[in-house]
Amino acid sequence: MTVIQIQPISGGYAIIQAQPGSKVLFRERNYAVDEQGFVAIPFGREVAGLHEITLVDRDRTERTEAIWIDTRSYVIQRVNGVDQSRVTPPVSVTDRITAEAVKVNRARSAMSSLQFWREQQFIRPAPGPVSGVYGSQRFYNGIAGSPHWGIDYAAPTGTKVIAPAGGKVVLAEADLYFSGGTIVLDHGGGLTSSFLHLSRLLVKPGDIVEQGAVIGLVGATGRVTGPHLDWRMNLHGERIDAALWLQAQ
């Protein structure tokens, strides 16, 4: 087992190379390596301290390596002026919100043999200053919400959003209740990117897009106070920090 790349911090990840057919065990979860012997494992927002990564070879031989994952401090961000119906939704939209969450979670759980995740250096999907970061505790109109899971890029409506790496479009929805216009790209290896609050979608499910291709336009749809792009990443269903892929890849 070789750890070929690691961001050892909460919200980070490790890329491991091993013999094809092996499995990696981390925090009581098994991750199978791909046909080339690679796998990426996620470190969630609250994962920190000393942990073990165990490799199980095809012959069931086990080897364990200890890793230290640094803690991080998360900022508190107070967002005011949000449409109150997007903070405390009426009962009439409960079924819609539940159905949309299932659809998005299914898309973010994509698992394919695409190799964009490992072969390309990720780039920013939009211009503009960063106005929100991963992990921050959000208060909407004074009410505590879930942590913020992405990077916010403040940019005018209509600004082009590009694919940070190649991928397959696994979701393209113009009007989700909280995230508005939303696209999810599968980069392979269990890694997906989500793009929220878009004013226009320029791709459809099933499209294969190249790195740098324009996939949509920045907007102010869903739960927002102004136009921006919210870019999020999930690895094997775990929410991780997209900024760490920009730094390391």
Side-chain angles (χ1 to χ4, degrees):
M1 173 174 62
T2 302
V3 179
I4 62 173
Q5 186 171 297
I6 188 169
Q7 288 285 350
I9 189 170
S10 303
Y13 60 93
I15 298 177
I16 294 169
Q17 184 177 18
Q19 184 183 30
S22 302
K23 292 184 179 180
V24 174
L25 177 64
F26 179 71
R27 287 174 53 84
E28 300 183 348
R29 181 174 175 181
N30 282 308
Y31 300 90
V33 303
D34 64 18
E35 293 180 355
Q36 289 76 40
F38 293 95
V39 66
I41 60 174
F43 308 144
R45 181 181 185 270
E46 304 301 330
V47 175
L50 186 64
H51 291 269
E52 292 183 340
I53 299 176
T54 299
L55 174 71
V56 182
D57 289 334
R58 287 183 299 183
D59 61 4
R60 298 186 180 181
T61 299
E62 295 188 8
R63 287 175 288 170
T64 298
E65 182 173 328
I67 60 168
W68 179 266
I69 301 173
D70 292 335
T71 58
R72 63 195 293 180
S73 298
Y74 297 109
V75 301
I76 295 176
Q77 191 170 23
R78 301 185 185 278
V79 183
N80 297 313
V82 182
D83 180 344
Q84 192 61 35
S85 68
R86 306 283 173 165
V87 179
T88 52
V91 175
S92 59
V93 298
T94 298
D95 289 346
R96 173 187 171 184
I97 291 170
T98 299
E100 290 178 354
V102 170
K103 184 181 296 185
V104 171
N105 287 336
R106 185 181 300 119
R108 287 176 174 167
S109 298
M111 189 69 192
S112 71
S113 60
L114 296 172
Q115 292 293 313
F116 297 113
W117 71 278
R118 188 172 60 84
E119 296 176 346
Q120 294 184 337
Q121 178 178 340
F122 280 65
I123 59 177
R124 279 178 60 132
V130 172
S131 56
V133 296
Y134 171 89
S136 58
Q137 178 60 57
R138 284 279 178 92
F139 287 81
Y140 298 97
N141 297 347
I143 299 174
S146 300
H148 187 248
W149 297 115
I151 308 173
D152 286 343
Y153 295 104
T157 295
T159 301
K160 294 178 180 178
V161 176
I162 63 172
K168 180 180 180 180
V169 179
V170 290
L171 183 138
E173 293 283 339
D175 184 28
L176 298 184
Y177 191 79
F178 286 121
S179 58
T182 304
I183 292 171
V184 179
L185 281 185
D186 170 20
H187 302 294
L191 183 69
T192 62
S193 283
S194 301
F195 310 89
L196 282 55
H197 310 306
L198 303 173
S199 62
R200 186 178 177 189
L201 314 182
L202 300 176
V203 293
K204 62 183 184 303
D207 287 351
I208 302 293
V209 300
E210 297 181 355
Q211 183 180 54
V214 179
I215 59 174
L217 304 179
V218 170
T221 57
R223 184 169 63 186
V224 298
T225 56
H228 69 283
L229 172 69
D230 183 349
W231 173 37
R232 306 182 176 194
M233 295 185 80
N234 282 58
L235 180 57
H236 298 294
E238 186 77 55
R239 300 175 188 269
I240 59 172
D241 188 356
L244 298 177
W245 286 80
L246 290 176
Q247 293 175 9
Q249 292 285 329

